[in-house]
Amino acid sequence: MQEGREYSSTGNVHPKPNSSDDDDEYEDLINDTSHDHEHNETYVIQVPKDQIYRVPPPENAIFAEQKRTAVPQTKSMFSVNCILLSALILLLVIGFITGICLAVAGKSDPTFRVHSMHVATKGKGNRKQHEFDFTLRSKNANNHAVVLFEKGGKTSLSYRDYKPLAKGEFPTSKQDTDSSEYTKLKLVSGSGKTLPKVIQKSMNGTSHTAIKLLLGFNVPLRFKVGVFPVKSKMLSIACNVKVKRLINRVRILSQDCDYSTS
């Protein structure tokens, strides 16, 4: 065990005995020393306040730890709430814009009328083909939506209950808002296909009887408002066209077109 020490006001150091037998001698020594130095000066040592260090109680450490861990949780919850609120606002804005665009695009579909028709025969014998060329006038009455005629459109020409006389494809195109455009259709009969006699006579010029033909086509549409494609649909049109003399330039007597969408 380390020897104990006791400090006096004068700074003298006296070893303290380790046994109880020497207690009397130790006290006498202290008394003699105090009498010898009773007239000596006494010094007071002051320790600067900024050098005094205190150890906080344990409960303060627990409180500080809880506070330190609670602050990130608050910030994290605040960040999550901000993200959720921003996402909700964004969805509301997108929904609002989409609703307006759908309302605008659904106002009207493009309309069509047969402007002209030409008939031509190419080849001979079994390779003979008949071409029926139509020029359609389409009108987009929508003031806000551009109409895109997409790939995959089909056209056909029929006479009464007969199988289609000719078939073709509807061309892809773009039509601006509030505008009219001309679209050309080319329908071709199969090689060596036999046409109804009334059609043959009209094409040969031996008959001037009026003939009712059915021109039908299905075309996928897509509406676009600004840079946003907002709506797609399939447009089906059936035009009953009454014509006379299927030679070169055909005379169109009347027409009536029915529209449907899906």
Side-chain angles (χ1 to χ4, degrees):
M1 179 180 295
Q2 186 178 359
E3 183 181 81
R5 293 175 180 268
E6 186 173 296
Y7 294 86
S8 67
S9 60
T10 59
N12 295 327
V13 179
H14 302 279
K16 187 176 181 179
N18 295 327
S19 63
S20 60
D21 297 337
D22 297 332
D23 285 344
D24 295 336
E25 294 181 4
Y26 179 77
E27 291 179 357
D28 293 339
L29 178 62
I30 293 301
N31 291 333
D32 293 340
T33 303
S34 61
H35 286 295
D36 292 340
H37 298 282
E38 61 183 4
H39 300 291
N40 291 348
E41 296 180 357
T42 301
Y43 299 93
V44 178
I45 300 175
Q46 294 184 350
V47 179
K49 184 180 293 185
D50 58 355
Q51 294 184 7
I52 299 176
Y53 301 95
R54 297 180 180 178
V55 178
E59 56 270 19
N60 287 4
I62 297 174
F63 175 76
E65 183 66 22
Q66 292 177 348
K67 186 176 180 181
R68 183 165 53 250
T69 57
V71 171
Q73 292 179 358
T74 303
K75 291 183 178 180
S76 176
M77 290 298 296
F78 179 75
S79 301
V80 171
N81 291 335
C82 288
I83 294 174
L84 292 177
L85 182 60
S86 301
L88 179 60
I89 293 175
L90 181 61
L91 289 175
L92 289 175
V93 172
I94 293 175
F96 179 73
I97 294 175
T98 302
I100 293 178
C101 291
L102 288 174
V104 169
K107 282 186 175 181
S108 60
D109 295 323
T111 58
F112 293 86
R113 285 189 64 83
V114 178
H115 178 70
S116 62
M117 176 181 177
H118 294 266
V119 178
T121 301
K122 297 181 179 180
K124 295 181 179 180
N126 294 333
R127 295 184 179 181
K128 182 184 294 185
Q129 289 184 337
H130 306 287
E131 292 184 0
F132 300 87
D133 298 326
F134 289 87
T135 300
L136 304 180
R137 184 176 184 269
S138 62
K139 180 175 178 57
N140 178 19
N142 199 308
N143 295 325
H144 303 282
V146 174
V147 179
L148 302 177
F149 299 96
E150 298 189 314
K151 187 176 180 180
K154 302 295 183 181
T155 62
S156 65
L157 181 65
S158 304
Y159 172 72
R160 292 186 178 179
D161 296 332
Y162 289 91
K163 293 181 180 180
L165 305 177
K167 296 180 179 181
E169 295 183 355
F170 196 97
T172 59
S173 62
K174 172 184 175 182
Q175 187 163 356
D176 293 330
T177 60
D178 194 19
S179 63
S180 296
E181 301 286 346
Y182 289 95
T183 303
K184 293 185 178 296
L185 302 181
K186 182 178 181 180
L187 293 83
V188 180
S189 66
S191 299
K193 184 179 182 64
T194 302
L195 300 177
K197 290 183 178 181
V198 64
I199 301 294
Q200 295 181 20
K201 289 180 179 181
S202 182
M203 294 177 64
N204 296 331
T206 58
S207 174
H208 300 285
T209 304
I211 301 173
K212 290 184 179 180
L213 300 176
L214 178 62
L215 174 65
F217 52 91
N218 300 320
V219 55
L221 301 180
R222 185 158 56 96
F223 293 90
K224 189 175 179 182
V225 178
V227 296
F228 302 102
V230 295
K231 194 174 185 180
S232 298
K233 63 173 64 176
M234 178 67 72
L235 179 64
S236 299
I237 299 180
C239 293
N240 292 287
V241 184
K242 190 175 182 179
V243 298
K244 190 175 183 180
R245 293 186 307 176
L246 296 177
I247 301 176
N248 296 329
R249 187 177 180 88
V250 180
R251 181 183 175 185
I252 299 175
L253 302 177
S254 64
Q255 60 179 297
D256 181 24
C257 296
D258 295 326
Y259 301 82
S260 64
T261 58
S262 59

